[in-house]
Structure formats: C-alpha cells, structure tokens
PDB file of all heavy atoms in Angstrom:
ATOM      1  N   GLN A   1     123.496 123.514 101.555  1.00 83.00           N
ATOM      2  CA  GLN A   1     124.608 122.800 100.838  1.00 83.00           C
ATOM      3  C   GLN A   1     124.106 121.831  99.749  1.00 83.00           C
ATOM      4  O   GLN A   1     123.085 121.182  99.912  1.00 83.00           O
ATOM      5  CB  GLN A   1     125.570 122.168 101.804  1.00 83.00           C
ATOM      6  CG  GLN A   1     126.157 123.004 102.889  1.00 83.00           C
ATOM      7  CD  GLN A   1     126.967 122.271 103.821  1.00 83.00           C
ATOM      8  OE1 GLN A   1     127.536 121.302 103.612  1.00 83.00           O
ATOM      9  NE2 GLN A   1     126.974 122.801 105.082  1.00 83.00           N
ATOM     10  N   VAL A   2     125.035 121.572  98.703  1.00 90.00           N
ATOM     11  CA  VAL A   2     124.482 120.757  97.704  1.00 90.00           C
ATOM     12  C   VAL A   2     124.602 119.264  97.940  1.00 90.00           C
ATOM     13  O   VAL A   2     123.667 118.489  97.881  1.00 90.00           O
ATOM     14  CB  VAL A   2     125.359 121.091  96.410  1.00 90.00           C
ATOM     15  CG1 VAL A   2     124.887 120.008  95.247  1.00 90.00           C
ATOM     16  CG2 VAL A   2     125.184 122.407  95.866  1.00 90.00           C
ATOM     17  N   GLY A   3     125.755 118.848  98.532  1.00 86.00           N
ATOM     18  CA  GLY A   3     125.939 117.479  98.885  1.00 86.00           C
ATOM     19  C   GLY A   3     125.890 116.565  97.700  1.00 86.00           C
ATOM     20  O   GLY A   3     126.240 116.893  96.607  1.00 86.00           O
ATOM     21  N   GLU A   4     125.348 115.244  97.924  1.00 91.00           N
ATOM     22  CA  GLU A   4     125.255 114.324  96.747  1.00 91.00           C
ATOM     23  C   GLU A   4     124.197 114.793  95.807  1.00 91.00           C
ATOM     24  O   GLU A   4     123.043 115.182  96.231  1.00 91.00           O
ATOM     25  CB  GLU A   4     124.854 113.078  97.431  1.00 91.00           C
ATOM     26  CG  GLU A   4     124.818 111.883  96.295  1.00 91.00           C
ATOM     27  CD  GLU A   4     124.584 110.603  96.944  1.00 91.00           C
ATOM     28  OE1 GLU A   4     124.493 110.399  98.168  1.00 91.00           O
ATOM     29  OE2 GLU A   4     124.265 109.566  96.209  1.00 91.00           O
ATOM     30  N   THR A   5     124.427 114.780  94.564  1.00 96.00           N
ATOM     31  CA  THR A   5     123.468 115.280  93.612  1.00 96.00           C
ATOM     32  C   THR A   5     122.800 114.213  92.796  1.00 96.00           C
ATOM     33  O   THR A   5     123.276 112.939  92.798  1.00 96.00           O
ATOM     34  CB  THR A   5     124.186 116.226  92.541  1.00 96.00           C
ATOM     35  OG1 THR A   5     125.278 115.369  91.847  1.00 96.00           O
ATOM     36  CG2 THR A   5     124.836 117.385  93.228  1.00 96.00           C
ATOM     37  N   MET A   6     121.669 114.432  92.169  1.00 98.00           N
ATOM     38  CA  MET A   6     120.927 113.557  91.364  1.00 98.00           C
ATOM     39  C   MET A   6     120.923 114.048  89.868  1.00 98.00           C
ATOM     40  O   MET A   6     120.988 115.320  89.681  1.00 98.00           O
ATOM     41  CB  MET A   6     119.547 113.324  91.696  1.00 98.00           C
ATOM     42  CG  MET A   6     119.444 112.769  93.174  1.00 98.00           C
ATOM     43  SD  MET A   6     117.657 112.685  93.707  1.00 98.00           S
ATOM     44  CE  MET A   6     117.424 114.461  94.093  1.00 98.00           C
ATOM     45  N   SER A   7     120.745 113.100  88.918  1.00 98.00           N
ATOM     46  CA  SER A   7     120.335 113.558  87.606  1.00 98.00           C
ATOM     47  C   SER A   7     118.973 114.094  87.689  1.00 98.00           C
ATOM     48  O   SER A   7     118.223 113.887  88.581  1.00 98.00           O
ATOM     49  CB  SER A   7     120.519 112.377  86.687  1.00 98.00           C
ATOM     50  OG  SER A   7     119.504 111.433  86.888  1.00 98.00           O
ATOM     51  N   ALA A   8     118.556 114.780  86.530  1.00 98.00           N
ATOM     52  CA  ALA A   8     117.142 115.222  86.480  1.00 98.00           C
ATOM     53  C   ALA A   8     116.179 114.097  86.530  1.00 98.00           C
ATOM     54  O   ALA A   8     115.090 114.188  87.172  1.00 98.00           O
ATOM     55  CB  ALA A   8     117.038 116.042  85.306  1.00 98.00           C
ATOM     56  N   SER A   9     116.532 112.979  85.835  1.00 98.00           N
ATOM     57  CA  SER A   9     115.557 111.807  85.893  1.00 98.00           C
ATOM     58  C   SER A   9     115.524 111.200  87.223  1.00 98.00           C
ATOM     59  O   SER A   9     114.519 110.707  87.630  1.00 98.00           O
ATOM     60  CB  SER A   9     116.069 110.866  84.786  1.00 98.00           C
ATOM     61  OG  SER A   9     117.282 110.366  85.008  1.00 98.00           O
ATOM     62  N   GLU A  10     116.684 111.145  87.943  1.00 98.00           N
ATOM     63  CA  GLU A  10     116.708 110.549  89.268  1.00 98.00           C
ATOM     64  C   GLU A  10     115.883 111.445  90.230  1.00 98.00           C
ATOM     65  O   GLU A  10     115.097 111.004  91.011  1.00 98.00           O
ATOM     66  CB  GLU A  10     118.054 110.392  89.864  1.00 98.00           C
ATOM     67  CG  GLU A  10     118.867 109.341  89.116  1.00 98.00           C
ATOM     68  CD  GLU A  10     120.412 109.364  89.369  1.00 98.00           C
ATOM     69  OE1 GLU A  10     120.869 110.375  89.839  1.00 98.00           O
ATOM     70  OE2 GLU A  10     121.007 108.345  89.331  1.00 98.00           O
ATOM     71  N   ALA A  11     115.993 112.786  90.156  1.00 98.00           N
ATOM     72  CA  ALA A  11     115.293 113.675  90.896  1.00 98.00           C
ATOM     73  C   ALA A  11     113.676 113.620  90.670  1.00 98.00           C
ATOM     74  O   ALA A  11     112.929 113.614  91.569  1.00 98.00           O
ATOM     75  CB  ALA A  11     115.697 115.153  90.696  1.00 98.00           C
ATOM     76  N   HIS A  12     113.439 113.418  89.322  1.00 98.00           N
ATOM     77  CA  HIS A  12     111.950 113.218  89.048  1.00 98.00           C
ATOM     78  C   HIS A  12     111.421 111.956  89.690  1.00 98.00           C
ATOM     79  O   HIS A  12     110.371 112.163  90.453  1.00 98.00           O
ATOM     80  CB  HIS A  12     111.883 113.183  87.525  1.00 98.00           C
ATOM     81  CG  HIS A  12     110.463 112.899  86.923  1.00 98.00           C
ATOM     82  ND1 HIS A  12     110.176 112.658  85.742  1.00 98.00           N
ATOM     83  CD2 HIS A  12     109.241 112.794  87.694  1.00 98.00           C
ATOM     84  CE1 HIS A  12     108.886 112.519  85.532  1.00 98.00           C
ATOM     85  NE2 HIS A  12     108.329 112.566  86.707  1.00 98.00           N
ATOM     86  N   ALA A  13     112.129 110.861  89.595  1.00 98.00           N
ATOM     87  CA  ALA A  13     111.611 109.744  90.199  1.00 98.00           C
ATOM     88  C   ALA A  13     111.476 109.736  91.687  1.00 98.00           C
ATOM     89  O   ALA A  13     110.541 109.363  92.327  1.00 98.00           O
ATOM     90  CB  ALA A  13     112.475 108.515  89.860  1.00 98.00           C
ATOM     91  N   TYR A  14     112.478 110.462  92.327  1.00 98.00           N
ATOM     92  CA  TYR A  14     112.538 110.513  93.805  1.00 98.00           C
ATOM     93  C   TYR A  14     111.447 111.492  94.261  1.00 98.00           C
ATOM     94  O   TYR A  14     110.754 111.158  95.275  1.00 98.00           O
ATOM     95  CB  TYR A  14     113.961 111.165  94.158  1.00 98.00           C
ATOM     96  CG  TYR A  14     114.072 111.414  95.655  1.00 98.00           C
ATOM     97  CD1 TYR A  14     114.361 110.316  96.517  1.00 98.00           C
ATOM     98  CD2 TYR A  14     113.695 112.567  96.234  1.00 98.00           C
ATOM     99  CE1 TYR A  14     114.513 110.480  97.816  1.00 98.00           C
ATOM    100  CE2 TYR A  14     113.725 112.744  97.678  1.00 98.00           C
ATOM    101  CZ  TYR A  14     114.105 111.642  98.459  1.00 98.00           C
ATOM    102  OH  TYR A  14     114.139 111.822  99.797  1.00 98.00           O
ATOM    103  N   HIS A  15     111.183 112.689  93.715  1.00 98.00           N
ATOM    104  CA  HIS A  15     110.205 113.525  94.263  1.00 98.00           C
ATOM    105  C   HIS A  15     108.860 113.237  93.841  1.00 98.00           C
ATOM    106  O   HIS A  15     107.897 113.786  94.479  1.00 98.00           O
ATOM    107  CB  HIS A  15     110.678 115.007  93.848  1.00 98.00           C
ATOM    108  CG  HIS A  15     111.815 115.520  94.596  1.00 98.00           C
ATOM    109  ND1 HIS A  15     111.795 115.774  95.903  1.00 98.00           N
ATOM    110  CD2 HIS A  15     113.052 115.856  94.233  1.00 98.00           C
ATOM    111  CE1 HIS A  15     112.933 116.257  96.341  1.00 98.00           C
ATOM    112  NE2 HIS A  15     113.736 116.360  95.274  1.00 98.00           N
ATOM    113  N   GLN A  16     108.623 112.322  92.727  1.00 98.00           N
ATOM    114  CA  GLN A  16     107.343 112.081  92.390  1.00 98.00           C
ATOM    115  C   GLN A  16     106.393 111.467  93.577  1.00 98.00           C
ATOM    116  O   GLN A  16     105.200 111.665  93.758  1.00 98.00           O
ATOM    117  CB  GLN A  16     107.357 110.965  91.194  1.00 98.00           C
ATOM    118  CG  GLN A  16     106.009 110.848  90.588  1.00 98.00           C
ATOM    119  CD  GLN A  16     105.547 112.032  89.787  1.00 98.00           C
ATOM    120  OE1 GLN A  16     106.188 112.343  88.849  1.00 98.00           O
ATOM    121  NE2 GLN A  16     104.461 112.682  90.185  1.00 98.00           N
ATOM    122  N   GLU A  17     107.149 110.624  94.402  1.00 98.00           N
ATOM    123  CA  GLU A  17     106.411 110.079  95.511  1.00 98.00           C
ATOM    124  C   GLU A  17     105.763 111.106  96.492  1.00 98.00           C
ATOM    125  O   GLU A  17     104.609 111.028  96.676  1.00 98.00           O
ATOM    126  CB  GLU A  17     107.478 109.219  96.380  1.00 98.00           C
ATOM    127  CG  GLU A  17     106.786 108.630  97.489  1.00 98.00           C
ATOM    128  CD  GLU A  17     107.814 107.808  98.375  1.00 98.00           C
ATOM    129  OE1 GLU A  17     108.853 108.374  98.792  1.00 98.00           O
ATOM    130  OE2 GLU A  17     107.535 106.542  98.549  1.00 98.00           O
ATOM    131  N   GLN A  18     106.550 112.097  96.854  1.00 98.00           N
ATOM    132  CA  GLN A  18     105.989 113.190  97.800  1.00 98.00           C
ATOM    133  C   GLN A  18     104.893 113.929  96.959  1.00 98.00           C
ATOM    134  O   GLN A  18     103.893 114.389  97.467  1.00 98.00           O
ATOM    135  CB  GLN A  18     106.957 114.058  98.323  1.00 98.00           C
ATOM    136  CG  GLN A  18     106.386 114.991  99.398  1.00 98.00           C
ATOM    137  CD  GLN A  18     107.358 115.968  99.961  1.00 98.00           C
ATOM    138  OE1 GLN A  18     108.447 116.177  99.475  1.00 98.00           O
ATOM    139  NE2 GLN A  18     106.983 116.833 100.950  1.00 98.00           N
ATOM    140  N   VAL A  19     105.242 114.392  95.727  1.00 98.00           N
ATOM    141  CA  VAL A  19     104.307 115.132  94.887  1.00 98.00           C
ATOM    142  C   VAL A  19     102.921 114.590  94.879  1.00 98.00           C
ATOM    143  O   VAL A  19     101.909 115.056  95.059  1.00 98.00           O
ATOM    144  CB  VAL A  19     104.797 115.463  93.576  1.00 98.00           C
ATOM    145  CG1 VAL A  19     103.737 116.015  92.665  1.00 98.00           C
ATOM    146  CG2 VAL A  19     106.008 116.540  93.664  1.00 98.00           C
ATOM    147  N   ASP A  20     102.938 113.243  94.615  1.00 98.00           N
ATOM    148  CA  ASP A  20     101.639 112.398  94.488  1.00 98.00           C
ATOM    149  C   ASP A  20     100.858 112.370  95.846  1.00 98.00           C
ATOM    150  O   ASP A  20      99.709 112.459  95.857  1.00 98.00           O
ATOM    151  CB  ASP A  20     101.945 111.056  94.031  1.00 98.00           C
ATOM    152  CG  ASP A  20     102.405 110.991  92.486  1.00 98.00           C
ATOM    153  OD1 ASP A  20     102.103 111.961  91.785  1.00 98.00           O
ATOM    154  OD2 ASP A  20     102.890 109.889  92.101  1.00 98.00           O
ATOM    155  N   MET A  21     101.723 112.278  96.925  1.00 98.00           N
ATOM    156  CA  MET A  21     101.077 112.288  98.156  1.00 98.00           C
ATOM    157  C   MET A  21     100.285 113.647  98.491  1.00 98.00           C
ATOM    158  O   MET A  21      99.173 113.766  98.928  1.00 98.00           O
ATOM    159  CB  MET A  21     102.099 112.068  99.374  1.00 98.00           C
ATOM    160  CG  MET A  21     102.706 110.735  99.367  1.00 98.00           C
ATOM    161  SD  MET A  21     104.113 110.598 100.515  1.00 98.00           S
ATOM    162  CE  MET A  21     104.588 108.942 100.462  1.00 98.00           C
ATOM    163  N   LEU A  22     101.072 114.744  98.131  1.00 98.00           N
ATOM    164  CA  LEU A  22     100.466 116.077  98.344  1.00 98.00           C
ATOM    165  C   LEU A  22      99.271 116.290  97.461  1.00 98.00           C
ATOM    166  O   LEU A  22      98.255 116.813  97.856  1.00 98.00           O
ATOM    167  CB  LEU A  22     101.440 117.181  98.070  1.00 98.00           C
ATOM    168  CG  LEU A  22     102.727 117.226  99.085  1.00 98.00           C
ATOM    169  CD1 LEU A  22     103.849 118.134  98.550  1.00 98.00           C
ATOM    170  CD2 LEU A  22     102.212 117.689 100.388  1.00 98.00           C
ATOM    171  N   ALA A  23      99.378 115.759  96.253  1.00 98.00           N
ATOM    172  CA  ALA A  23      98.215 115.909  95.299  1.00 98.00           C
ATOM    173  C   ALA A  23      97.034 115.184  95.815  1.00 98.00           C
ATOM    174  O   ALA A  23      95.916 115.632  95.727  1.00 98.00           O
ATOM    175  CB  ALA A  23      98.726 115.326  93.930  1.00 98.00           C
ATOM    176  N   SER A  24      97.236 113.981  96.392  1.00 98.00           N
ATOM    177  CA  SER A  24      96.127 113.202  96.906  1.00 98.00           C
ATOM    178  C   SER A  24      95.420 113.885  98.058  1.00 98.00           C
ATOM    179  O   SER A  24      94.357 113.653  98.371  1.00 98.00           O
ATOM    180  CB  SER A  24      96.588 111.759  97.322  1.00 98.00           C
ATOM    181  OG  SER A  24      97.437 111.857  98.420  1.00 98.00           O
ATOM    182  N   GLY A  25      96.282 114.711  98.807  1.00 98.00           N
ATOM    183  CA  GLY A  25      95.674 115.507  99.951  1.00 98.00           C
ATOM    184  C   GLY A  25      95.036 116.793  99.540  1.00 98.00           C
ATOM    185  O   GLY A  25      94.406 117.535 100.377  1.00 98.00           O
ATOM    186  N   GLY A  26      95.101 117.225  98.266  1.00 98.00           N
ATOM    187  CA  GLY A  26      94.287 118.331  97.771  1.00 98.00           C
ATOM    188  C   GLY A  26      95.183 119.482  97.352  1.00 98.00           C
ATOM    189  O   GLY A  26      94.718 120.624  97.221  1.00 98.00           O
ATOM    190  N   ALA A  27      96.551 119.257  97.185  1.00 98.00           N
ATOM    191  CA  ALA A  27      97.403 120.445  96.774  1.00 98.00           C
ATOM    192  C   ALA A  27      96.900 120.869  95.374  1.00 98.00           C
ATOM    193  O   ALA A  27      96.582 120.144  94.475  1.00 98.00           O
ATOM    194  CB  ALA A  27      98.788 119.950  96.701  1.00 98.00           C
ATOM    195  N   GLU A  28      96.894 122.270  95.256  1.00 97.00           N
ATOM    196  CA  GLU A  28      96.548 122.873  94.009  1.00 97.00           C
ATOM    197  C   GLU A  28      97.717 123.301  93.155  1.00 97.00           C
ATOM    198  O   GLU A  28      97.654 123.656  92.089  1.00 97.00           O
ATOM    199  CB  GLU A  28      95.613 124.058  94.326  1.00 97.00           C
ATOM    200  CG  GLU A  28      94.345 123.613  94.927  1.00 97.00           C
ATOM    201  CD  GLU A  28      93.531 124.778  95.472  1.00 97.00           C
ATOM    202  OE1 GLU A  28      94.177 125.903  95.685  1.00 97.00           O
ATOM    203  OE2 GLU A  28      92.316 124.693  95.752  1.00 97.00           O
ATOM    204  N   MET A  29      98.891 123.292  93.832  1.00 97.00           N
ATOM    205  CA  MET A  29     100.166 123.635  93.179  1.00 97.00           C
ATOM    206  C   MET A  29     101.391 122.954  94.080  1.00 97.00           C
ATOM    207  O   MET A  29     101.009 122.560  95.188  1.00 97.00           O
ATOM    208  CB  MET A  29     100.357 125.128  92.972  1.00 97.00           C
ATOM    209  CG  MET A  29     100.647 125.920  94.247  1.00 97.00           C
ATOM    210  SD  MET A  29     100.983 127.701  93.973  1.00 97.00           S
ATOM    211  CE  MET A  29     102.718 127.482  93.308  1.00 97.00           C
ATOM    212  N   ILE A  30     102.419 122.880  93.513  1.00 98.00           N
ATOM    213  CA  ILE A  30     103.638 122.462  94.174  1.00 98.00           C
ATOM    214  C   ILE A  30     104.598 123.588  94.322  1.00 98.00           C
ATOM    215  O   ILE A  30     104.870 124.379  93.269  1.00 98.00           O
ATOM    216  CB  ILE A  30     104.290 121.256  93.468  1.00 98.00           C
ATOM    217  CG1 ILE A  30     103.290 120.067  93.560  1.00 98.00           C
ATOM    218  CG2 ILE A  30     105.622 120.903  94.131  1.00 98.00           C
ATOM    219  CD1 ILE A  30     102.991 119.471  94.878  1.00 98.00           C
ATOM    220  N   SER A  31     105.155 123.824  95.441  1.00 98.00           N
ATOM    221  CA  SER A  31     106.369 124.766  95.428  1.00 98.00           C
ATOM    222  C   SER A  31     107.545 124.007  95.903  1.00 98.00           C
ATOM    223  O   SER A  31     107.580 123.316  96.961  1.00 98.00           O
ATOM    224  CB  SER A  31     105.926 125.912  96.542  1.00 98.00           C
ATOM    225  OG  SER A  31     104.992 126.691  96.155  1.00 98.00           O
ATOM    226  N   ALA A  32     108.587 124.003  95.155  1.00 98.00           N
ATOM    227  CA  ALA A  32     109.947 123.399  95.554  1.00 98.00           C
ATOM    228  C   ALA A  32     110.760 124.496  96.148  1.00 98.00           C
ATOM    229  O   ALA A  32     111.226 125.524  95.575  1.00 98.00           O
ATOM    230  CB  ALA A  32     110.627 122.923  94.249  1.00 98.00           C
ATOM    231  N   ILE A  33     111.050 124.345  97.310  1.00 97.00           N
ATOM    232  CA  ILE A  33     111.714 125.388  98.185  1.00 97.00           C
ATOM    233  C   ILE A  33     113.015 124.963  98.435  1.00 97.00           C
ATOM    234  O   ILE A  33     113.353 123.833  98.853  1.00 97.00           O
ATOM    235  CB  ILE A  33     110.966 125.641  99.525  1.00 97.00           C
ATOM    236  CG1 ILE A  33     109.518 126.027  99.223  1.00 97.00           C
ATOM    237  CG2 ILE A  33     111.637 126.686 100.292  1.00 97.00           C
ATOM    238  CD1 ILE A  33     109.268 127.298  98.557  1.00 97.00           C
TER     239      ILE A  33
END
C-alpha cells in the first residue's frame, strides 16, 4: 500500500542514509524493491 508519500527530494534524503550504509559494506549496486 502507498500510505504516506514523500516528494522525490524527501525520498532522496530519507533513503540516502541506508544507501550509504550499504555502500560502506561493499554493495556494488542498489536494488529498490
């Protein structure tokens, strides 16, 4: 379900945290599922 939505800029700021964590662990790509 969609629920509460974000703007694209809000979503960028929100997900940057986890993406950076995964990158520091050695991720070679990101998959948004």
Side-chain angles (χ1 to χ4, degrees):
Q1 302 175 27
V2 179
E4 185 177 350
T5 61
M6 297 177 283
S7 68
S9 59
E10 289 171 336
H12 179 183
Y14 179 82
H15 287 294
Q16 191 70 62
E17 180 177 56
Q18 186 186 8
V19 167
D20 288 344
M21 292 173 180
L22 292 166
S24 69
E28 296 168 341
M29 66 176 287
I30 296 296
S31 294
I33 305 293

